[in-house]
Amino acid sequence: MRVLIMANGEYGSLPRLKPLLAGAQLIICADGGANYARRMGLKPDFIVGDMDSIRPEVKAFYERQGVAMRLHPPRKDATDLQLALELALQQRASDIMIVGALGGRLDFSFSNLLAGLPVLEHGAAVCYISAALRVYLCRDKLLLNGTPGDTVSLLPLTPQAAGVGLRGFEYPLRDAVLTQYDPFAVSNVMLQEMGEVSVSQGVLAVFHYPLT
């Protein structure tokens, strides 16, 4: 099942972003992410969190629409995004798109990327989407659709990522080792419409900046 999670971060141009979210079979809003769902004319299946950032009129609207509310106490260990990811796995998600998780505070963006790591352990794919950037979490192989000239960077989310390979890029890699102490695989360029990223050990964050 393909699940869309809407967090309460930066969205940029909503008209530009909305087509990128097509194909979701289930929509989960993490608290204030529901405010953006309302603006985009989307009806979530669940709204989860401590409900401190969803606007009262938006909450009331979706309650009238019969949207399921999963309320959690404000003093909790998990972030609202983590709660949304847990709920997505409970709903048997196999492919998770996350929007509104990047930009703004750097600590939130970094935390949101790390929150996707347990999802990989359950076998689900994870992609973070913004109007100008997509970030994929990769622990084996990723086929990247794009345009020649697109910028792609790789950063290890584990202390080491071994057996890293790149095909279809200006700077190919074969059996490379990336560490958090030496993040050298940045600002590569796609040479064709399909690029391949692979890793045999560890997890990579694949940052894809499309030209258009």
Side-chain angles (χ1 to χ4, degrees), residues 1-5 85 88-89 92-98 115-129 135-143 203-204:
M1 176 186 294
R2 194 173 203 195
V3 175
L4 168 63
I5 293 178
L85 287 166
L89 292 176
R92 302 185 182 278
S94 59
D95 183 2
I96 300 177
M97 302 182 295
I98 305 172
L117 292 177
V119 177
L120 297 183
E121 299 295 328
H122 288 80
V126 184
C127 176
Y128 299 79
I129 300 175
V135 182
Y136 302 85
L137 301 191
C138 176
R139 62 178 302 176
D140 41 44
K141 182 180 290 187
L142 172 68
L143 296 178
V203 178
L204 292 173

Side-chain angles (χ1 to χ4, degrees), residues 50 52 72-78:
D50 54 22
D52 67 338
H72 292 260
R75 297 179 66 87
K76 58 187 186 303
D77 293 329

